C-alpha cells in the first residue's frame, strides 16, 4: 500500500501481478485489453505493478516529449541488433539516440526523398500490375502479400542499394531460382540467405512477441533447445548477418566507384570527409530500417485498400480524385489531394501499424503526469490504439470516415500519433507517407472498381487486428478483386 503507484486507478490485480497483461500480450490482445481498462478506470490506468498507461493528450505529450524525453524502457533491449551494436530504434541512451538521429535524418527527410521518388513509383506500378494479374488469373489478389513485397523491395533498395526483387518474382519460395538466373556467379549461399531473410521478415511480428515476453530465455536460447526460442534467436542472427554482408557489398561498390555510387539512405555515412558512426552501428541501423520499414507500410496499405473497397461511396470519391491527375503526376501533386490524404489519415487512425506498447522509463528523479506522481523507474506508456478511439475526440470512433479529417480539431490532430511522438517519432514517416500516397493512387487509377472478394471464404473476420508490437490481420491475407 506504500507503493507510490497504489493511488493510480486500475483493476485490483494490477497491483500484484503482470500475468493478466502477459496473457493478453501472448494472445495479441494487449492493446484492446488496455483499452477496456481505460473505458472502465479512466485516462490513467495502472496495468501492472510497475506499468502505467495514459490515454490523454497531455499524458502522451509528457511520455513522448521532444525536450528532455524519457528514455525508452528496458523492453527495447530486446531490439538490439544481431551484432550487439545499438541502432536508432533500440538505443535507450538519450544522447546516443540524438547523435544517431542527427546523422541519419537528412537522408530520409522529406526534401531528400525526392531523389528516390522514382523508385517508389516503379515499385508501386509493378505491385499494382501484379495485383491486376493475380485477379485475372485467380479471381482475386492477396493485396497484403503484394504490399509486403512492394514495401520490402523499396526499403531494401534504399538501404542496401539492392532491391529484394520480390515483386518481379511474386512468390518468396521461387526467389532463389530468379537470383540464380540473373546472377549465376552469385552462388547459392547468397541466394539462400536472401530467401531466408525475406522469410524471417515475414514472421517478424510473432517472433517479436516471444522476444518481448521472454527476454531472458531468448538470451539463453543457444543453451535451451526449445524451437520457439531458438528460432526467435536464430532469425535475429540471420537477419544481422545478411545486413552485414549487404552493407559490406555496398562498401565495396563505393570503393570501386567513389565518385558515383548508387545513393542509399546510408551513403553519406561512408564519406570519409563527413562525420559518421562505426560500421557496426551502420549495419545495426540498416537492419532497423528494414524491419521497421516493411511490415508497417505494407499492413497500413492493406487495411487502407480493404477499408476503401468496402465503402463504394468512399471508393468512388477517391477513384475520381486520383483519375483527374495529370498523366505525369509527382508526389507533390498527391500531397495536394484532399481526399487521398484524408483516407490515409483515417487509415492510420483506425489501423495504425504499431499502435501500442511503446514504453518509456521515468528518470530517477520521478515525474508528475496528469496529476499522478510517477516514481523513477516506472514504465509509462500511451497507446495510439486508445487515443485514436476516444469518442470525444473522434465521434463514432470505430467508423472508417475519412471526411472527419476535412476540418480537424486541434484535439484530433494532437491525439493522432500513428508514428509515435516526440524525440522518438518515426524517422521513416515521410517515406511511409510517400509510399502510401503513390501506391494508393496507382491502385485506384488502374482499378477504380476494386472490391473486397469473398473467394476462398475471405470475410471481415480475416481482418481482425492482432497486435503484438506490430499489428497485422489475423489470417495474414486480404483478398481484393481488382478488375
Ligand atoms: C505506415 C508506416 C509506419 C508506421 C505506422 C510506423 C510507426 C512507427 C512508430 C509508432 C514508431 C515509434 C516506435 C517507438 O516509440 O518505439 C516508429 C519508429 C521508427 N520507425 Fe517507423 N513506422 C512506419 C514506417 C517506417 C519506415 C518506412 C521506416 C524506414 C526507415 C521506419 C523506421 C523507423 C525507425 C528507425 C524508428 C525509430 C526512430 C527513433 O527511435 O528515433 N518506419 N515508427
Amino acid at each position: 500500500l506504500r507503493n507510490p503507484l497504489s493511488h493510480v486507478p486500475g483493476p485490483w490485480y494490477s497491483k500484484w501481478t503482470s500475468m493478466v497483461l502477459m496473457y493478453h500480450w501472448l494472445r495479441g490482445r494487449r492493446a484492446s485489453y488496455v483499452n477496456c481498462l481505460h473505458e472502465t478506470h479512466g485516462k490513467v490506468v495502472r496495468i501492472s505493478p510497475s506499468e502505467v498507461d495514459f490515454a490523454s493528450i497531455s499524458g502522451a505529450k509528457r511520455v513522448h516529449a521532444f525536450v528532455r524525453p524519457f528514455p525508452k524502457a528496458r523492453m527495447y533491449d530486446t531490439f538490439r541488433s544481431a551484432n550487439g551494436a545499438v541502432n536508432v530504434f533500440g538505443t535507450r541512451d538519450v544522447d546516443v539516440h540524438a547523435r544517431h538521429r542527427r546523422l541519419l535524418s537528412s537522408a530520409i527527410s522529406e526534401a531528400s526523398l525526392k531523389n528516390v521518388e522514382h523508385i517508389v513509383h516503379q515499385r508501386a506500378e509493378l505491385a499494382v500490375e501484379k495485383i491486376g494479374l493475380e485477379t485475372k488469373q485467380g479471381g482475386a489478389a492477396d493485396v497484403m502479400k503484394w504490399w509486403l513485397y512492394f514495401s520490402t523491395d523499396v526499403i531494401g533498395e534504399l538501404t542496401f542499394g539492392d532491391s529484394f526483387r520480390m515483386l518481379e518474382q511474386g512468390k518468396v519460395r521461387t526467389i532463389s531460382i530468379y537470383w540464380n538466373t540473373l546472377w549465376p556467379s552469385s552462388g547459392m549461399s547468397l541466394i539462400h540467405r536472401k530467401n531466408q531473410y525475406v522469410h524471417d521478415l515475414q514472421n517478424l511480428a510473432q517472433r517479436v512477441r516471444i522476444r518481448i515476453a521472454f527476454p531472458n530465455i531468448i538470451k539463453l536460447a543457444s543453451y535451451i533447445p526449445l524451437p520457439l526460442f531458438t528460432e526467435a534467436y536464430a532469425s535475429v542472427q540471420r537477419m544481422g548477418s545478411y545486413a552485414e554482408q549487404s552493407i559490406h557489398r555496398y562498401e565495396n561498390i563505393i570503393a570501386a566507384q567513389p565518385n558515383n555510387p548508387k545513393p542509399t539512405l546510408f551513403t553519406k555515412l561512408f564519406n570519409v570527409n563527413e562525420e559518421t558512426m562505426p560500421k557496426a552501428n551502420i549495419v545495426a541501423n540498416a537492419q532497423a530500417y528494414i524491419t521497421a520499414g516493411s511490415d508497417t507500410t505494407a499492413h497500413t496499405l492493406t487495411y487502407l485498400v480493404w477499408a476503401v473497397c468496402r465503402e463504394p461511396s468512399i471508393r468512388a470519391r477517391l477513384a475520381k480524385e486520383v483519375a483527374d491527375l495529370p498523366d505525369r503526376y509527382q508526389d507533390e501533386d498527391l500531397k495536394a489531394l484532399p481526399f487521398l490524404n484524408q483516407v490515409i489519415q483515417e487509415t492510420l487512425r483506425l489501423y495504425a501499424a504499431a499502435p501500442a506498447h511503446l514504453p518509456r522509463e521515468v528518470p530517477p528523479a520521478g515525474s508528475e503526469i496528469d496529476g499522478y506522481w510517477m516514481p523513477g523507474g516506472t514504465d509509462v506508456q500511451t497507446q495510439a490504439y486508445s487515443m485514436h478511439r476516444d469518442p470525444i475526440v473522434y465521434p463514432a470512433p470505430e467508423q472508417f470516415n475519412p471526411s472527419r479529417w476535412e476540418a480537424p480539431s486541434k484535439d484530433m490532430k494532437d491525439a493522432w500519433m500513428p508514428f509515435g511522438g516526440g524525440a522518438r517519432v518515426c524517422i521513416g514517416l515521410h517515406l511511409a507517407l510517400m509510399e502510401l500516397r503513390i501506391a494508393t493512387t496507382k491502385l485506384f487509377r488502374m482499378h477504380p472498381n476494386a472490391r473486397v472478394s469473398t473467394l476462398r471464404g475471405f470475410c471481415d473476420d480475416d481482418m481482425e487486428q492482432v497486435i503484438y508490437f506490430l499489428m497485422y490481420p489475423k489470417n495474414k491475407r486480404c483478398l481484393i478483386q481488382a478488375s
Side-chain angles (χ1 to χ4, degrees), residues 72 76 88-89 97 101 108 155 289 292-293 296-297 300 353-354 358 360 418-420 424-428 431-432 435 469:
K72 283 188 168 179
Y76 286 88
V88 71
F89 185 90
H97 172 260
R101 185 98 189 190
I108 199 166
I155 195 67
Y289 273 25
T296 45
T297 309
T300 307
L358 315 177
R360 302 294 187 259
F419 294 107
R424 306 302 291 255
V425 73
C426 176
I427 201 171
L431 173 60
E435 290 180 83
F469 191 77

mmCIF file of all heavy atoms in Angstrom, residues 72 76 88-89 97 101 108 155 289 292-293 296-297 300 353-354 358 360 418-420 424-428 431-432 435 469, ligand 1:
data_model
loop_
_atom_site.group_PDB
_atom_site.id
_atom_site.type_symbol
_atom_site.label_atom_id
_atom_site.label_comp_id
_atom_site.label_asym_id
_atom_site.label_seq_id
_atom_site.Cartn_x
_atom_site.Cartn_y
_atom_site.Cartn_z
ATOM 1 N N LYS A 72 13.694 5.261 -23.616
ATOM 2 C CA LYS A 72 12.890 4.068 -23.864
ATOM 3 C C LYS A 72 13.109 3.077 -22.712
ATOM 4 O O LYS A 72 14.171 3.051 -22.094
ATOM 5 C CB LYS A 72 13.291 3.426 -25.197
ATOM 6 C CG LYS A 72 12.722 4.188 -26.409
ATOM 7 C CD LYS A 72 12.943 3.461 -27.727
ATOM 8 C CE LYS A 72 12.110 4.123 -28.827
ATOM 9 N NZ LYS A 72 12.284 3.496 -30.142
ATOM 10 N N TYR A 76 13.142 -2.367 -24.828
ATOM 11 C CA TYR A 76 13.791 -2.120 -26.120
ATOM 12 C C TYR A 76 15.158 -2.800 -26.244
ATOM 13 O O TYR A 76 15.698 -2.883 -27.338
ATOM 14 C CB TYR A 76 13.918 -0.608 -26.379
ATOM 15 C CG TYR A 76 12.587 0.009 -26.749
ATOM 16 C CD1 TYR A 76 11.724 0.475 -25.767
ATOM 17 C CD2 TYR A 76 12.182 0.085 -28.070
ATOM 18 C CE1 TYR A 76 10.493 1.022 -26.089
ATOM 19 C CE2 TYR A 76 10.954 0.626 -28.414
ATOM 20 C CZ TYR A 76 10.115 1.099 -27.414
ATOM 21 O OH TYR A 76 8.897 1.624 -27.748
ATOM 22 N N VAL A 88 19.275 3.351 -33.987
ATOM 23 C CA VAL A 88 18.436 4.496 -33.626
ATOM 24 C C VAL A 88 17.112 4.042 -32.997
ATOM 25 O O VAL A 88 16.547 4.727 -32.150
ATOM 26 C CB VAL A 88 18.213 5.393 -34.870
ATOM 27 C CG1 VAL A 88 17.299 4.706 -35.880
ATOM 28 C CG2 VAL A 88 17.694 6.766 -34.501
ATOM 29 N N PHE A 89 16.627 2.882 -33.398
ATOM 30 C CA PHE A 89 15.357 2.403 -32.867
ATOM 31 C C PHE A 89 15.495 1.892 -31.439
ATOM 32 O O PHE A 89 14.703 2.230 -30.557
ATOM 33 C CB PHE A 89 14.806 1.281 -33.757
ATOM 34 C CG PHE A 89 13.443 0.819 -33.333
ATOM 35 C CD1 PHE A 89 12.316 1.415 -33.836
ATOM 36 C CD2 PHE A 89 13.291 -0.188 -32.389
ATOM 37 C CE1 PHE A 89 11.054 1.025 -33.428
ATOM 38 C CE2 PHE A 89 12.044 -0.592 -31.965
ATOM 39 C CZ PHE A 89 10.923 0.020 -32.495
ATOM 40 N N HIS A 97 21.095 8.267 -28.871
ATOM 41 C CA HIS A 97 19.993 8.371 -29.822
ATOM 42 C C HIS A 97 20.062 9.684 -30.595
ATOM 43 O O HIS A 97 19.933 9.708 -31.823
ATOM 44 C CB HIS A 97 18.632 8.271 -29.114
ATOM 45 C CG HIS A 97 17.499 8.566 -30.042
ATOM 46 N ND1 HIS A 97 16.864 9.780 -30.081
ATOM 47 C CD2 HIS A 97 16.953 7.822 -31.040
ATOM 48 C CE1 HIS A 97 15.948 9.775 -31.026
ATOM 49 N NE2 HIS A 97 15.982 8.595 -31.616
ATOM 50 N N ARG A 101 20.341 9.907 -34.604
ATOM 51 C CA ARG A 101 19.219 10.543 -35.303
ATOM 52 C C ARG A 101 19.729 11.702 -36.180
ATOM 53 O O ARG A 101 19.299 11.873 -37.315
ATOM 54 C CB ARG A 101 18.224 11.033 -34.246
ATOM 55 C CG ARG A 101 16.963 11.614 -34.769
ATOM 56 C CD ARG A 101 15.831 10.625 -34.772
ATOM 57 N NE ARG A 101 14.713 11.176 -35.485
ATOM 58 C CZ ARG A 101 13.506 10.674 -35.540
ATOM 59 N NH1 ARG A 101 13.238 9.555 -34.941
ATOM 60 N NH2 ARG A 101 12.568 11.247 -36.228
ATOM 61 N N ILE A 108 16.801 10.931 -45.017
ATOM 62 C CA ILE A 108 15.427 10.408 -45.094
ATOM 63 C C ILE A 108 14.402 11.533 -44.859
ATOM 64 O O ILE A 108 13.224 11.292 -44.585
ATOM 65 C CB ILE A 108 15.269 9.204 -44.114
ATOM 66 C CG1 ILE A 108 14.057 8.345 -44.477
ATOM 67 C CG2 ILE A 108 15.247 9.635 -42.660
ATOM 68 C CD1 ILE A 108 14.009 7.002 -43.810
ATOM 69 N N ILE A 155 12.327 -0.503 -49.339
ATOM 70 C CA ILE A 155 13.256 -0.213 -48.238
ATOM 71 C C ILE A 155 14.576 -0.974 -48.436
ATOM 72 O O ILE A 155 15.648 -0.482 -48.085
ATOM 73 C CB ILE A 155 12.613 -0.478 -46.848
ATOM 74 C CG1 ILE A 155 13.437 0.166 -45.731
ATOM 75 C CG2 ILE A 155 12.393 -1.940 -46.577
ATOM 76 C CD1 ILE A 155 13.470 1.652 -45.730
ATOM 77 N N TYR A 289 16.093 -0.260 -40.181
ATOM 78 C CA TYR A 289 15.272 0.318 -41.257
ATOM 79 C C TYR A 289 14.466 -0.766 -41.966
ATOM 80 O O TYR A 289 13.284 -0.592 -42.257
ATOM 81 C CB TYR A 289 16.167 1.016 -42.291
ATOM 82 C CG TYR A 289 16.505 2.453 -41.971
ATOM 83 C CD1 TYR A 289 16.502 2.924 -40.661
ATOM 84 C CD2 TYR A 289 16.845 3.351 -42.976
ATOM 85 C CE1 TYR A 289 16.824 4.225 -40.363
ATOM 86 C CE2 TYR A 289 17.170 4.676 -42.697
ATOM 87 C CZ TYR A 289 17.161 5.102 -41.388
ATOM 88 O OH TYR A 289 17.478 6.405 -41.116
ATOM 89 N N ALA A 292 11.755 -2.069 -39.515
ATOM 90 C CA ALA A 292 10.713 -1.088 -39.144
ATOM 91 C C ALA A 292 9.981 -0.553 -40.374
ATOM 92 O O ALA A 292 8.889 -0.005 -40.239
ATOM 93 C CB ALA A 292 11.352 0.079 -38.385
ATOM 94 N N GLY A 293 10.586 -0.716 -41.562
ATOM 95 C CA GLY A 293 10.010 -0.052 -42.735
ATOM 96 C C GLY A 293 9.319 -0.964 -43.723
ATOM 97 O O GLY A 293 8.943 -0.515 -44.804
ATOM 98 N N THR A 296 5.196 -2.434 -41.508
ATOM 99 C CA THR A 296 4.401 -1.267 -41.104
ATOM 100 C C THR A 296 3.663 -0.660 -42.302
ATOM 101 O O THR A 296 2.436 -0.497 -42.274
ATOM 102 C CB THR A 296 5.314 -0.196 -40.484
ATOM 103 O OG1 THR A 296 6.471 -0.057 -41.309
ATOM 104 C CG2 THR A 296 5.714 -0.533 -39.075
ATOM 105 N N THR A 297 4.424 -0.357 -43.351
ATOM 106 C CA THR A 297 3.813 0.269 -44.530
ATOM 107 C C THR A 297 2.873 -0.721 -45.225
ATOM 108 O O THR A 297 1.767 -0.350 -45.658
ATOM 109 C CB THR A 297 4.919 0.720 -45.508
ATOM 110 O OG1 THR A 297 5.875 1.483 -44.778
ATOM 111 C CG2 THR A 297 4.362 1.549 -46.633
ATOM 112 N N THR A 300 -0.429 -1.122 -43.351
ATOM 113 C CA THR A 300 -1.251 0.090 -43.481
ATOM 114 C C THR A 300 -1.938 0.102 -44.846
ATOM 115 O O THR A 300 -3.148 0.364 -44.954
ATOM 116 C CB THR A 300 -0.383 1.356 -43.318
ATOM 117 O OG1 THR A 300 0.344 1.248 -42.096
ATOM 118 C CG2 THR A 300 -1.225 2.614 -43.283
ATOM 119 N N ALA A 353 -0.185 0.763 -37.559
ATOM 120 C CA ALA A 353 0.577 -0.488 -37.664
ATOM 121 C C ALA A 353 1.400 -0.811 -36.414
ATOM 122 O O ALA A 353 1.775 -1.953 -36.196
ATOM 123 C CB ALA A 353 1.485 -0.430 -38.886
ATOM 124 N N ALA A 354 1.725 0.204 -35.608
ATOM 125 C CA ALA A 354 2.441 -0.057 -34.336
ATOM 126 C C ALA A 354 1.696 0.738 -33.270
ATOM 127 O O ALA A 354 2.172 1.763 -32.786
ATOM 128 C CB ALA A 354 3.893 0.375 -34.443
ATOM 129 N N LEU A 358 4.679 1.199 -26.411
ATOM 130 C CA LEU A 358 5.933 1.914 -26.681
ATOM 131 C C LEU A 358 6.407 2.482 -25.336
ATOM 132 O O LEU A 358 6.364 3.688 -25.115
ATOM 133 C CB LEU A 358 5.715 3.069 -27.678
ATOM 134 C CG LEU A 358 4.871 2.790 -28.932
ATOM 135 C CD1 LEU A 358 4.706 4.057 -29.763
ATOM 136 C CD2 LEU A 358 5.503 1.697 -29.777
ATOM 137 N N ARG A 360 8.176 3.927 -21.945
ATOM 138 C CA ARG A 360 9.289 4.806 -21.591
ATOM 139 C C ARG A 360 9.534 4.667 -20.099
ATOM 140 O O ARG A 360 8.607 4.344 -19.335
ATOM 141 C CB ARG A 360 8.940 6.275 -21.914
ATOM 142 C CG ARG A 360 8.592 6.530 -23.375
ATOM 143 C CD ARG A 360 9.782 6.305 -24.285
ATOM 144 N NE ARG A 360 9.541 6.696 -25.673
ATOM 145 C CZ ARG A 360 9.262 5.838 -26.648
ATOM 146 N NH1 ARG A 360 9.153 4.539 -26.414
ATOM 147 N NH2 ARG A 360 9.102 6.269 -27.884
ATOM 148 N N PRO A 418 0.028 7.821 -34.996
ATOM 149 C CA PRO A 418 0.383 6.505 -35.543
ATOM 150 C C PRO A 418 1.885 6.315 -35.695
ATOM 151 O O PRO A 418 2.364 5.188 -35.782
ATOM 152 C CB PRO A 418 -0.297 6.498 -36.913
ATOM 153 C CG PRO A 418 -0.417 7.936 -37.285
ATOM 154 C CD PRO A 418 -0.655 8.659 -35.990
ATOM 155 N N PHE A 419 2.620 7.423 -35.741
ATOM 156 C CA PHE A 419 4.073 7.326 -35.896
ATOM 157 C C PHE A 419 4.796 7.565 -34.567
ATOM 158 O O PHE A 419 5.980 7.881 -34.544
ATOM 159 C CB PHE A 419 4.559 8.341 -36.939
ATOM 160 C CG PHE A 419 4.065 8.046 -38.339
ATOM 161 C CD1 PHE A 419 3.074 8.833 -38.921
ATOM 162 C CD2 PHE A 419 4.571 6.974 -39.057
ATOM 163 C CE1 PHE A 419 2.603 8.556 -40.198
ATOM 164 C CE2 PHE A 419 4.105 6.687 -40.336
ATOM 165 C CZ PHE A 419 3.117 7.480 -40.913
ATOM 166 N N GLY A 420 4.106 7.407 -33.459
ATOM 167 C CA GLY A 420 4.712 7.687 -32.162
ATOM 168 C C GLY A 420 4.776 9.197 -31.977
ATOM 169 O O GLY A 420 3.991 9.949 -32.572
ATOM 170 N N ARG A 424 11.360 10.492 -30.347
ATOM 171 C CA ARG A 424 11.474 9.159 -30.945
ATOM 172 C C ARG A 424 10.409 8.923 -32.006
ATOM 173 O O ARG A 424 10.113 7.770 -32.355
ATOM 174 C CB ARG A 424 11.376 8.078 -29.861
ATOM 175 C CG ARG A 424 12.337 8.193 -28.702
ATOM 176 C CD ARG A 424 13.789 8.189 -29.100
ATOM 177 N NE ARG A 424 14.285 6.940 -29.617
ATOM 178 C CZ ARG A 424 15.082 6.089 -28.955
ATOM 179 N NH1 ARG A 424 15.452 6.361 -27.720
ATOM 180 N NH2 ARG A 424 15.535 4.991 -29.526
ATOM 181 N N VAL A 425 9.844 9.995 -32.550
ATOM 182 C CA VAL A 425 8.837 9.809 -33.595
ATOM 183 C C VAL A 425 9.485 9.078 -34.766
ATOM 184 O O VAL A 425 10.699 9.170 -34.990
ATOM 185 C CB VAL A 425 8.264 11.192 -34.018
ATOM 186 C CG1 VAL A 425 9.278 11.990 -34.840
ATOM 187 C CG2 VAL A 425 6.960 11.039 -34.779
ATOM 188 N N CYS A 426 8.669 8.345 -35.521
ATOM 189 C CA CYS A 426 9.180 7.529 -36.627
ATOM 190 C C CYS A 426 10.061 8.341 -37.577
ATOM 191 O O CYS A 426 9.633 9.353 -38.116
ATOM 192 C CB CYS A 426 7.985 6.965 -37.407
ATOM 193 S SG CYS A 426 8.465 6.024 -38.854
ATOM 194 N N ILE A 427 11.281 7.844 -37.796
ATOM 195 C CA ILE A 427 12.199 8.564 -38.690
ATOM 196 C C ILE A 427 11.796 8.344 -40.150
ATOM 197 O O ILE A 427 12.157 9.126 -41.029
ATOM 198 C CB ILE A 427 13.656 8.098 -38.434
ATOM 199 C CG1 ILE A 427 14.657 9.130 -38.920
ATOM 200 C CG2 ILE A 427 13.947 6.758 -39.075
ATOM 201 C CD1 ILE A 427 16.100 8.839 -38.501
ATOM 202 N N GLY A 428 11.025 7.270 -40.405
ATOM 203 C CA GLY A 428 10.658 6.938 -41.787
ATOM 204 C C GLY A 428 9.289 7.456 -42.191
ATOM 205 O O GLY A 428 8.749 7.052 -43.211
ATOM 206 N N LEU A 431 8.893 8.846 -45.738
ATOM 207 C CA LEU A 431 8.974 7.765 -46.732
ATOM 208 C C LEU A 431 7.670 6.967 -46.725
ATOM 209 O O LEU A 431 7.103 6.664 -47.778
ATOM 210 C CB LEU A 431 10.168 6.847 -46.411
ATOM 211 C CG LEU A 431 10.273 5.596 -47.276
ATOM 212 C CD1 LEU A 431 10.426 5.953 -48.751
ATOM 213 C CD2 LEU A 431 11.440 4.717 -46.831
ATOM 214 N N ALA A 432 7.190 6.630 -45.526
ATOM 215 C CA ALA A 432 5.960 5.840 -45.425
ATOM 216 C C ALA A 432 4.795 6.570 -46.090
ATOM 217 O O ALA A 432 4.039 5.989 -46.872
ATOM 218 C CB ALA A 432 5.637 5.564 -43.954
ATOM 219 N N GLU A 435 5.069 6.447 -49.829
ATOM 220 C CA GLU A 435 4.690 5.125 -50.343
ATOM 221 C C GLU A 435 3.167 4.954 -50.327
ATOM 222 O O GLU A 435 2.578 4.437 -51.272
ATOM 223 C CB GLU A 435 5.335 4.024 -49.498
ATOM 224 C CG GLU A 435 6.838 3.926 -49.661
ATOM 225 C CD GLU A 435 7.421 2.815 -48.793
ATOM 226 O OE1 GLU A 435 7.402 1.656 -49.222
ATOM 227 O OE2 GLU A 435 7.893 3.105 -47.681
ATOM 228 N N PHE A 469 3.870 -6.176 -31.183
ATOM 229 C CA PHE A 469 4.403 -4.805 -31.310
ATOM 230 C C PHE A 469 3.826 -4.221 -32.590
ATOM 231 O O PHE A 469 3.351 -3.100 -32.633
ATOM 232 C CB PHE A 469 5.937 -4.849 -31.338
ATOM 233 C CG PHE A 469 6.566 -3.505 -31.199
ATOM 234 C CD1 PHE A 469 6.640 -2.876 -29.968
ATOM 235 C CD2 PHE A 469 7.074 -2.860 -32.310
ATOM 236 C CE1 PHE A 469 7.202 -1.625 -29.836
ATOM 237 C CE2 PHE A 469 7.646 -1.609 -32.185
ATOM 238 C CZ PHE A 469 7.719 -0.996 -30.949
HETATM 239 C C1 LIG B 1 2.981 3.382 -42.048
HETATM 240 C C2 LIG B 1 4.223 3.052 -41.775
HETATM 241 C C3 LIG B 1 4.906 3.230 -40.448
HETATM 242 C C4 LIG B 1 4.362 3.316 -39.197
HETATM 243 C C5 LIG B 1 2.886 3.269 -38.797
HETATM 244 C C6 LIG B 1 5.475 3.495 -38.272
HETATM 245 C C7 LIG B 1 5.329 3.656 -36.905
HETATM 246 C C8 LIG B 1 6.378 3.930 -36.049
HETATM 247 C C9 LIG B 1 6.232 4.173 -34.631
HETATM 248 C C10 LIG B 1 4.908 4.145 -33.866
HETATM 249 C C11 LIG B 1 7.460 4.426 -34.133
HETATM 250 C C12 LIG B 1 7.809 4.729 -32.676
HETATM 251 C C13 LIG B 1 8.299 3.471 -32.025
HETATM 252 C C14 LIG B 1 8.651 3.623 -30.570
HETATM 253 O O1 LIG B 1 8.460 4.671 -29.983
HETATM 254 O O2 LIG B 1 9.118 2.630 -30.034
HETATM 255 C C15 LIG B 1 8.403 4.317 -35.213
HETATM 256 C C16 LIG B 1 9.768 4.492 -35.086
HETATM 257 C C17 LIG B 1 10.674 4.222 -36.096
HETATM 258 N N1 LIG B 1 10.383 3.920 -37.409
HETATM 259 FE FE1 LIG B 1 8.527 3.814 -38.217
HETATM 260 N N2 LIG B 1 6.643 3.478 -38.976
HETATM 261 C C18 LIG B 1 6.348 3.337 -40.307
HETATM 262 C C19 LIG B 1 7.250 3.287 -41.351
HETATM 263 C C20 LIG B 1 8.624 3.338 -41.229
HETATM 264 C C21 LIG B 1 9.551 3.279 -42.322
HETATM 265 C C22 LIG B 1 9.191 3.218 -43.812
HETATM 266 C C23 LIG B 1 10.804 3.277 -41.791
HETATM 267 C C24 LIG B 1 12.070 3.225 -42.594
HETATM 268 C C25 LIG B 1 13.146 3.832 -42.322
HETATM 269 C C26 LIG B 1 10.662 3.371 -40.336
HETATM 270 C C27 LIG B 1 11.700 3.398 -39.416
HETATM 271 C C28 LIG B 1 11.557 3.699 -38.074
HETATM 272 C C29 LIG B 1 12.676 3.869 -37.148
HETATM 273 C C30 LIG B 1 14.149 3.681 -37.476
HETATM 274 C C31 LIG B 1 12.120 4.224 -35.914
HETATM 275 C C32 LIG B 1 12.862 4.571 -34.620
HETATM 276 C C33 LIG B 1 13.011 6.093 -34.555
HETATM 277 C C34 LIG B 1 13.703 6.619 -33.303
HETATM 278 O O3 LIG B 1 13.616 5.995 -32.239
HETATM 279 O O4 LIG B 1 14.318 7.695 -33.409
HETATM 280 N N3 LIG B 1 9.318 3.411 -40.041
HETATM 281 N N4 LIG B 1 7.720 4.022 -36.380
#
